[in-house]
């Protein structure tokens, strides 16, 4: 690190070359290709990448020496790709040289907060140490703060987090994720976090058309495909599922596909009389989707209260 | 008298950055790095007090520097060393060991002569520091 001072500082900088060289283009391209929709997120990441690239160039020319604050918050509904984008972000920061290793450590409240007095600090520090040189991703960060229980140890974890986020800025980047409204309340109750977070990125819900596309891509990844009826049924499924509780965007789609595969296997097993070809084995058709509870009005209807129960 | 044990002990004190680079070398080799401290500088005092667990699954050496600094806060007036264990032979063998913190004042060692078996003499060395009880050495 000390050698950098001895090297003669460049007087001009070629941003395009730096962009090519750092491999940022590959990541942005990968992001564009593998993630469907999420236009505002991609836009923000492109902006962030540009900022970091320019910052790095400034640093090389000796115009600034401060490490920029890189902690981020990702807000959005479940299944909108927060974790996947965090992984890409870790890779991006690694290629730009802002984190040394570029690994992602995903934790929730349970990994940070202990069960008894004196248990929290070592536990939190252990996690922080593991994340050093990489990115710490705290999913549903607002569970750390539980104002209704004054004996909650979450506060202790928050204090350590804040301290490390400030003092070890060169060593790790913290990304907090969760639902938008609860994150807002969390940040209002802990203003220290808001001021330490440089980038707030909102993940919008996927549109129906985007989810259709996601379903096709996921299925393709598993080596299956829809026939015409299946595709139509899936589109209908997505529109119905959205109106029902616990809808989790892409995650709901994935779960639906998993269950469809189960039903398809069952159907083939029961109906097949002769030998099956590859096409039959890898086609999801209409009945596999139509069997879902979603078409019968959702999850609540099939668990009627037991007659006679109090 | 400057204590010279382990690696780099004839060099000037290591900076945090030096420690990080050395620890990263150990981690990159797959060795478990840990931090230990003591106030008994005798060369045959092999087992120092452990500062936390060995760091088996930290990919980055910043964690080691962090722990060294935590240990300095608590035991700044004692000897602190970083050691790296290699478990690949099936047992834990030390690959690296270097002192990262030492007391301000190192009084050194004296020779103790003991007459045994007639006029035969046995020699031992003893640190001046250990004449004080544990915890009160190095003020």
């Amino acid at each position: 690190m000390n050698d950098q001072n001895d090297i003669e500082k460049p007087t001009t900088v070629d941003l395009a070359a730096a962009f090519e060289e750092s491999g940022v283009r590959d990541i942005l391209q990968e992001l564009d290709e593998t993630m469907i929709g999420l236009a505002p997120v991609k836009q923000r990441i492109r902006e962030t990448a540009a900022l970091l690239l320019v910052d790095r160039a400034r640093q090389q020319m000796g115009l600034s020496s401060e490490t920029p604050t890189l902690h981020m918050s990702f807000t959005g509904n479940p299944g909108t790709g927060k974790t996947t984008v965090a992984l890409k972000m870790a890779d991006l920061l690694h290629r730009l040289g802002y984190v040394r290793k570029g690994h992602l450590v995903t934790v929730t409240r349970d990994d940070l907060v202990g069960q008894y007095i004196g248990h929290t600090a070592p536990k939190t520090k252990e996690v922080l140490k593991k994340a050093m040189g990489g990115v710490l991703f705290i999913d549903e960060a607002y569970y750390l703060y539980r104002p209704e229980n004054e004996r909650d140890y979450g506060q202790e974890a928050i204090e350590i987090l804040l301290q490390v986020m400030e003092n070890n800025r060169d060593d790790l980047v913290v990304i907090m994720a969760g639902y938008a409204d609860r994150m807002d309340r969390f940040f209002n109750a802990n203003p220290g976090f808001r001021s330490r977070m440089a980038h707030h990125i909102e993940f919008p819900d996927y549109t129906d058309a985007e989810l259709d596309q996601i379903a096709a891509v996921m299925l393709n990844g598993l080596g299956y495909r829809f026939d015409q009826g299946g595709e139509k049924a899936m589109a209908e499924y997505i529109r119905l599922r959205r109106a029902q509780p616990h809808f989790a965007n892409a995650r709901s789609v994935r779960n639906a596909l998993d269950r469809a595969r189960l039903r398809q296997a069952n159907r083939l097993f029961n109906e097949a009389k002769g030998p099956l070809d590859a096409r039959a084995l890898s086609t999801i058709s209409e009945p596999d989707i139509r069997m879902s509870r979603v078409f019968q009005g959702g999850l609540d209807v099939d668990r009627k209260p037991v007659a006679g129960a109090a | 008298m400057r204590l010279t044990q382990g690696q780099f002990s004839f060099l000037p004190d290591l900076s945090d950055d030096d420690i990080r680079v050395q620890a990263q070398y150990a981690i990159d080799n797959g060795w478990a790095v840990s931090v230990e401290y003591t106030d008994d500088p005798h060369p045959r005092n092999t087992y120092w007090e452990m500062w936390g667990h060995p760091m088996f699954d930290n990919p980055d050496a910043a964690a080691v520097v962090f722990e060294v600094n935590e240990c300095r806060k608590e035991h700044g007036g004692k000897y602190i060393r970083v050691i790296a264990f290699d478990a690949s032979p099936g047992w834990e063998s030390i690959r690296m060991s270097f002192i990262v913190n030492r007391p301000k004042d190192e009084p050194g060692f004296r020779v103790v002569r003991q007459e045994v078996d007639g006029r035969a003499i046995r020699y031992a060395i003893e640190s001046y520091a250990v004449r004080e009880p544990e915890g009160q050495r190095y003020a």
Side-chain angles (χ1 to χ4, degrees):
Chain A
M1 297 282 137
N2 293 329
D3 313 339
Q4 273 181 355
N5 300 333
D6 309 333
I7 300 169
E8 214 175 297
K9 285 170 189 141
T11 47
T12 58
V13 67
D14 185 354
L15 275 181
F19 182 67
E20 286 297 334
E21 202 184 302
S22 58
V24 171
R25 174 200 285 281
D26 299 341
I27 300 224
L28 293 181
Q29 206 172 352
E30 199 189 315
L31 195 74
D32 263 340
E33 279 165 11
T34 55
M35 306 287 291
I36 290 158
L38 294 181
V41 176
K42 287 173 181 167
Q43 185 57 33
R44 276 305 301 273
I45 290 177
R46 224 169 284 132
E47 285 167 13
T48 312
L51 171 77
L52 294 178
L53 209 61
V54 169
D55 247 21
R56 197 177 64 160
R58 281 171 57 87
Q59 232 164 34
Q60 279 163 355
M61 290 174 80
L63 292 175
S64 68
S65 54
E66 279 273 292
T67 315
T69 307
L70 292 167
H71 306 309
M72 303 174 203
S73 83
F74 288 0
T75 52
N77 287 327
T80 44
K82 297 189 288 290
T83 316
T84 316
V85 170
L87 254 169
K88 296 254 190 302
M89 192 55 111
D91 204 2
L92 185 78
L93 292 174
H94 177 51
R95 296 210 183 182
L96 284 167
Y98 283 100
V99 294
R100 284 185 298 269
K101 294 278 169 206
H103 60 290
L104 183 78
V105 176
T106 309
V107 297
T108 54
R109 180 191 152 90
D110 286 352
D111 301 294
L112 294 169
V113 180
Q115 288 164 0
Y116 41 83
I117 291 182
H119 189 202
T120 302
K123 214 171 165 185
T124 306
K125 278 184 186 160
E126 206 57 41
V127 167
L128 286 169
K129 280 193 312 195
K130 219 173 278 178
M132 275 181 184
V135 174
L136 178 66
F137 183 77
I138 306 178
D139 211 358
E140 308 204 64
Y142 34 75
Y143 283 132
L144 284 176
Y145 176 67
R146 289 206 169 144
E148 68 275 11
N149 183 354
E150 59 182 67
R151 272 190 240 154
D152 188 68
Y153 303 133
Q155 194 61 37
E156 205 181 335
I158 288 175
E159 275 158 29
I160 295 168
L161 261 176
L162 282 174
Q163 198 189 336
V164 170
M165 279 166 74
E166 190 61 37
N167 298 343
N168 298 60
R169 261 191 295 170
D170 303 350
D171 293 330
L172 87 164
V173 171
V174 177
I175 298 179
M176 297 189 158
Y179 301 102
D181 52 335
R182 292 217 225 165
M183 282 306 265
D184 275 345
R185 249 178 290 147
F186 175 67
F187 284 137
N188 282 336
N190 300 277
F193 277 124
R194 192 186 281 283
S195 60
R196 280 174 184 82
M197 294 277 174
H199 308 277
H200 295 264
I201 300 183
E202 286 243 12
F203 286 67
D205 279 347
Y206 288 111
T207 63
D208 291 340
E210 280 163 359
L211 284 176
D212 292 347
Q213 226 178 323
I214 287 170
V217 169
M218 276 181 181
L219 213 55
N220 204 15
L222 293 166
Y224 285 82
R225 45 177 223 86
F226 284 126
D227 64 5
Q228 231 174 14
E231 200 174 333
K232 240 180 79 195
M234 191 63 205
E236 217 172 297
Y237 174 94
I238 287 168
R239 280 146 191 81
L240 280 170
R241 183 67 187 86
R242 188 187 287 281
Q244 290 169 8
H246 307 300
F247 175 66
N249 286 292
R251 197 174 304 142
S252 290
V253 171
R254 194 178 60 205
N255 292 344
L257 291 179
D258 280 344
R259 285 191 294 270
R261 280 167 59 209
L262 195 86
R263 286 187 212 104
Q264 183 241 22
N266 218 7
R267 171 174 61 88
L268 291 180
F269 202 76
N270 291 335
E271 289 177 2
K273 288 181 185 81
L276 293 164
D277 58 355
R279 197 187 151 83
L281 283 176
S282 57
T283 304
I284 302 277
S285 55
E286 196 167 353
D288 303 330
I289 311 265
R290 290 277 176 204
M291 288 277 287
S292 168
R293 284 181 297 190
V294 168
F295 290 102
Q296 279 115 56
L299 308 174
D300 303 328
V301 287
D302 53 358
R303 241 179 249 145
K304 285 192 180 105
V306 183
Chain B
M1 197 206 83
R2 191 182 162 83
L3 188 68
T4 50
Q5 288 180 14
Q7 303 164 289
F8 318 127
S9 56
F10 287 94
L11 299 177
D13 285 343
L14 300 184
S15 70
D16 280 6
D17 224 32
D18 296 333
I19 298 170
R20 192 176 58 75
V21 173
Q22 293 298 341
Q24 190 63 56
Y25 172 78
I27 291 170
D28 291 345
N29 275 299
W31 304 336
V33 183
S34 63
V35 179
E36 300 185 334
Y37 64 93
T38 192
D39 59 358
D40 177 3
H42 195 282
R44 302 301 287 268
N45 174 24
T46 314
Y47 302 111
W48 293 19
E49 313 286 334
M50 293 169 75
W51 176 261
H53 302 290
M55 290 168 242
F56 293 109
D57 46 3
N58 293 342
D60 192 79
V64 176
V65 177
F66 177 80
E67 279 304 325
V68 166
N69 283 321
E70 289 290 299
C71 187
R72 276 177 181 151
K73 275 183 213 158
E74 196 94 352
H75 302 286
K78 297 175 187 171
Y79 291 100
I80 301 174
R81 70 178 175 190
V82 171
I83 56 176
F85 283 111
D86 181 5
S88 55
W91 63 86
E92 299 276 357
S93 49
I94 290 193
R95 291 287 187 194
M96 293 174 74
S97 164
F98 53 94
I99 295 175
V100 294
N101 191 72
R102 44 180 82 240
K104 254 199 225 78
D105 239 8
E106 296 177 275
F109 297 86
R110 70 181 182 117
V111 175
V112 181
R113 295 185 183 80
Q114 187 185 26
E115 265 187 312
V116 291
D117 304 336
R119 302 305 303 270
I121 287 192
R122 247 180 216 171
Y123 296 96
I125 61 162
E126 182 192 63
S127 166
Y128 290 110
V130 299
R131 289 190 293 191
E132 299 294 326
E134 250 181 281
Q136 292 170 33
R137 299 161 187 170
Y138 305 112

